[in-house]
Amino acid sequence: MKRLYAAFISIALLLWAAAAAAQGAKTIENHQDFGDYRVTYSVFNSDFISPEIARHYNLVRADDRAFVNISVSKKGETKGASAGVSGNATNLIQQSRSLEFQEIRDQDAVYYLAPFRFDHEENLTFNIDLVLPDGSTQELTFRRQLHKN
């Protein structure tokens, strides 16, 4: 009976720990709202882009390269909007690299890509300066850890 009780307590503690860990898990945000506008952002390895698309837009694909992707749209709309986008990426020892954004237009989509090099498992903080279509200026900051494929 003592073994059964000990097993029950062990399982209960394990389930409690799993539930606590799940509650502590963070959802990775991928957008931020500024007034009437939604700014959506992502970071992805360059090999996510097909070779054909990379050639079409003159984008470099390599194991140590990634892109920051920024798009701006009016809330509730899917059509992209033009914006001013600039920024930098800073690592954990405060080394900063400038991000040079290129506007990409594809039918109703308008988005901004900035290529950069990274080290495996590098943690970067992205500081993005925006000029929204209404002329307001906003700052967007987010952090990502990058991995080579």
Side-chain angles (χ1 to χ4, degrees):
M1 186 65 153
K2 285 184 182 181
R3 282 191 159 172
L4 184 60
Y5 181 72
F8 175 76
I9 293 297
S10 296
I11 291 172
L13 286 173
L14 181 63
L15 291 174
W16 174 79
Q23 286 180 347
K26 292 184 179 179
T27 302
I28 295 177
E29 293 293 327
N30 69 346
H31 71 272
Q32 187 168 338
D33 293 337
F34 297 100
D36 292 336
Y37 294 94
R38 171 163 284 184
V39 177
T40 304
Y41 52 92
S42 63
V43 177
F44 55 89
N45 290 24
S46 64
D47 60 0
F48 179 76
I49 296 176
S50 72
E52 297 79 24
I53 298 294
R55 271 193 300 278
H56 180 74
Y57 290 106
N58 199 28
L59 303 171
V60 177
R61 298 172 73 236
D63 288 343
D64 67 341
R65 298 211 184 181
F67 290 95
V68 180
N69 179 29
I70 305 290
S71 67
V72 176
S73 61
K74 201 128 171 126
K75 285 184 190 174
E77 293 183 10
T78 57
K79 183 178 179 180
S82 291
V85 182
S86 61
N88 65 57
T90 306
N91 65 15
L92 293 176
I93 58 173
Q94 301 306 305
Q95 294 171 322
S96 182
R97 62 195 82 160
S98 181
L99 298 171
E100 301 296 326
F101 286 90
Q102 174 184 352
E103 184 179 87
I104 306 290
R105 290 182 172 269
D106 186 22
Q107 296 174 351
D108 283 345
V110 178
Y111 51 95
Y112 298 87
L113 287 179
F116 63 94
R117 291 178 188 253
F118 69 94
D119 292 323
H120 184 59
E121 296 187 2
E122 185 171 22
N123 285 293
L124 294 173
T125 300
F126 296 90
N127 301 296
I128 309 299
D129 296 314
L130 302 159
V131 179
L132 298 178
D134 65 2
S136 67
T137 58
Q138 301 293 337
E139 293 180 8
L140 172 68
T141 300
F142 60 96
R143 182 174 289 156
R144 294 291 185 267
Q145 183 177 37
L146 294 130
H147 303 273
K148 292 183 181 179
N149 291 335

